[in-house]
């Protein structure tokens, strides 16, 4: 947790889901130079005389060091070879604001938790509140849906969401038709005397498809999102260079630092020069 500009924030969590290894990148480089015999890795040397079988492919993917890749990365700056290595990260608890920053990195594959399909509980809380602002605020607080961790600040966010939904309800003839599934309409009469009972009933009922389409406007960049993102090593180098900088937006800097923390050394050695070896 960090205090930034007077507001407390939670940092994201990151797990490395998969990495393809650096052996394929060395194989690609050796193909360019037809220099398989010069490798310090026996399995790469053997490619000179035979096409790799399954056992050899496993060995290639387990390679931990490559002097050729190090030379290409730091002496000749032939970074295109690094595009043959890919890493995939699961990110939890970053913000929608960070997504805007991520969009500036062209070469990546990114899959993000959809607001379109994951807003049912929030809308159910509003319908169940029956105009009770405090019920809505306390229920949404329990969702832990913001990167900010200051309860007083988050109540302001949630209260604004309540006001937006209340306005929208006032100008739509049949608000419930876009908010909940038809099969849940009878629950309004059955449990309409108790906000908590009605909320539980709506949660246990059928979820309305695409409920977020009508309500995306109520949430801000402060809302947490989860995502899986895949970079090739060359693009990851660019990402870490730009986003681990003091000039970067602090939330994406936190994310880059967490991604870097879980990235194996064999990749970092090819894309991040140790401080003592960097040019002044």
């Amino acid at each position: 947790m960090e205090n930034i500009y007077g507001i407390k924030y939670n940092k994201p969590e990151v797990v490395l889901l998969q990495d393809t290894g650096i052996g394929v990148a060395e194989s690609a480089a050796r193909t360019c130079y037809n220099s398989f015999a010069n490798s310090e890795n026996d399995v790469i040397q053997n490619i000179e005389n035979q096409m790799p079988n399954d056992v050899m492919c496993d060995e290639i993917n387990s390679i931990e060091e490559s002097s050729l890749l190090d030379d290409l990365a730091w002496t000749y700056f032939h970074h295109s070879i690094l595009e043959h290595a890919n890493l995939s990260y699961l990110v939890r608890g970053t913000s929608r604001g960070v997504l805007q920053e991520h969009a500036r990195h062209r070469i990546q594959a990114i899959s993000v938790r959809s607001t379109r399909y994951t807003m049912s509980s929030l809308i159910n809380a509003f319908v169940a509140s029956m105009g009770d602002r405090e019920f809505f605020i306390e229920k949404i607080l329990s969702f832990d849906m913001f990167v900010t961790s200051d309860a007083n600040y988050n109540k302001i966010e949630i209260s604004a969401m309540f006001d937006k939904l209340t306005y929208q309800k006032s100008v739509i003839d049949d608000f419930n038709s876009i908010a909940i599934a038809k099969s849940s309409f009878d629950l309004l009469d059955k449990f309409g005397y108790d906000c908590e009972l009605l909320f539980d009933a709506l949660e246990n009922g059928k979820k309305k498809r695409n409920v977020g389409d009508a309500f995306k406007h109520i949430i801000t960049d402060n809302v947490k999102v989860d995502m899986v993102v895949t970079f090739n090593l060359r693009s990851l180098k660019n990402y870490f260079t730009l986003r681990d900088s003091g000039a970067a937006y602090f939330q994406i800097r936190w994310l880059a630092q967490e991604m870097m923390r879980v990235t194996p050394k064999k990749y970092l050695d090819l894309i991040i020069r140790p401080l003592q070896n960097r040019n002044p």
Side-chain angles (χ1 to χ4, degrees):
M1 187 182 300
E2 293 280 344
N3 190 312
I4 305 293
Y5 306 126
I7 304 295
K8 294 178 181 178
Y9 289 83
N10 290 312
K11 290 188 173 182
E13 298 177 286
V14 178
V15 169
L16 180 66
L17 292 178
Q18 68 90 26
D19 58 293
T20 60
I22 63 173
V24 173
E26 181 178 348
S27 299
R30 295 290 177 190
T31 297
C32 292
Y33 301 112
N34 194 24
S35 62
F36 298 103
N38 296 334
S39 177
E40 73 271 35
N41 294 297
D42 292 342
V43 66
I44 300 293
Q45 294 177 24
N46 290 337
I47 297 176
E48 181 85 34
N49 302 311
Q50 70 175 96
M51 290 293 285
N53 55 31
D54 290 346
V55 173
M56 289 177 66
C57 286
D58 288 341
E59 290 182 31
I60 290 170
N61 288 321
S62 66
I63 287 173
E64 294 292 323
E65 294 183 0
S66 169
S67 59
L68 175 61
L69 291 183
D70 188 72
D71 285 343
L72 292 175
W74 296 115
T75 302
Y76 302 107
F77 303 102
H78 188 177
H79 294 146
S80 65
I81 295 300
L82 301 180
E83 294 174 4
H84 293 283
N86 293 277
L87 299 94
S88 297
Y89 303 85
L90 170 64
V91 177
R92 287 218 169 130
T94 192
S95 72
R96 286 171 58 84
V98 167
L99 293 185
Q100 297 179 36
E101 301 291 320
H102 255 267
R104 298 187 173 99
H105 291 270
R106 303 295 193 265
I107 311 299
Q108 64 174 309
I110 184 169
S111 299
V112 183
R113 187 179 64 191
S114 169
T115 53
R116 189 182 198 199
Y117 293 102
T118 60
M119 288 183 68
S120 290
S121 293
L122 189 156
I123 302 305
N124 285 344
F126 178 76
V127 172
S129 73
M130 296 176 289
D132 186 336
R133 181 186 298 268
E134 291 307 311
F135 172 85
F136 181 75
I137 289 175
E138 292 304 316
K139 182 59 66 178
I140 302 303
L141 270 180
S142 72
F143 292 172
D144 188 27
M145 64 180 292
F146 303 108
V147 292
T148 47
S149 58
D150 187 317
N152 290 326
Y153 180 83
N154 289 347
K155 285 180 179 180
I156 296 172
E157 285 262 26
I158 299 168
S159 186
M161 292 162 59
F162 182 86
D163 289 338
K164 292 175 187 178
L165 289 169
T166 298
Y167 173 81
Q168 192 171 9
K169 184 176 182 180
S170 73
V171 297
I172 293 178
D173 291 336
D174 190 4
F175 179 86
N176 288 336
S177 67
I178 64 170
I180 60 175
K182 284 186 178 180
S183 59
S184 295
F185 282 4
D186 64 328
L187 301 176
L188 303 178
D189 295 327
K190 187 175 182 180
F191 298 103
Y193 62 91
D194 187 299
C195 295
E196 193 65 52
L197 287 177
L198 179 55
F199 175 76
D200 290 342
L202 291 172
E203 284 290 276
N204 291 323
K206 182 179 179 180
K207 296 291 188 293
K208 186 174 177 66
R209 183 174 171 83
N210 301 353
V211 68
D213 283 359
F215 305 112
K216 284 177 177 283
H217 62 91
I218 71 169
I219 60 177
T220 69
D221 289 348
N222 193 29
V223 170
K224 285 181 179 178
V225 296
D226 300 339
M227 63 183 180
V228 171
V229 60
T230 300
F231 283 96
N232 71 55
L233 194 54
R234 185 182 193 180
S235 293
L236 192 64
K237 174 181 174 64
N238 172 261
Y239 180 82
F240 286 161
T241 299
L242 295 178
R243 300 308 183 174
D244 188 35
S245 160
Y249 175 45
F250 66 89
Q251 287 191 44
I252 200 170
R253 185 169 69 248
W254 292 343
L255 178 54
Q257 289 168 349
E258 280 300 294
M259 289 170 61
M260 199 179 302
R261 186 182 63 80
V262 301
T263 300
K265 183 176 182 295
K266 62 184 175 183
Y267 300 108
L268 295 179
D269 285 347
L270 294 173
I271 61 176
I272 298 176
R273 188 63 101 176
L275 285 175
Q276 63 269 27
N277 295 332
R278 293 180 187 175
N279 292 327

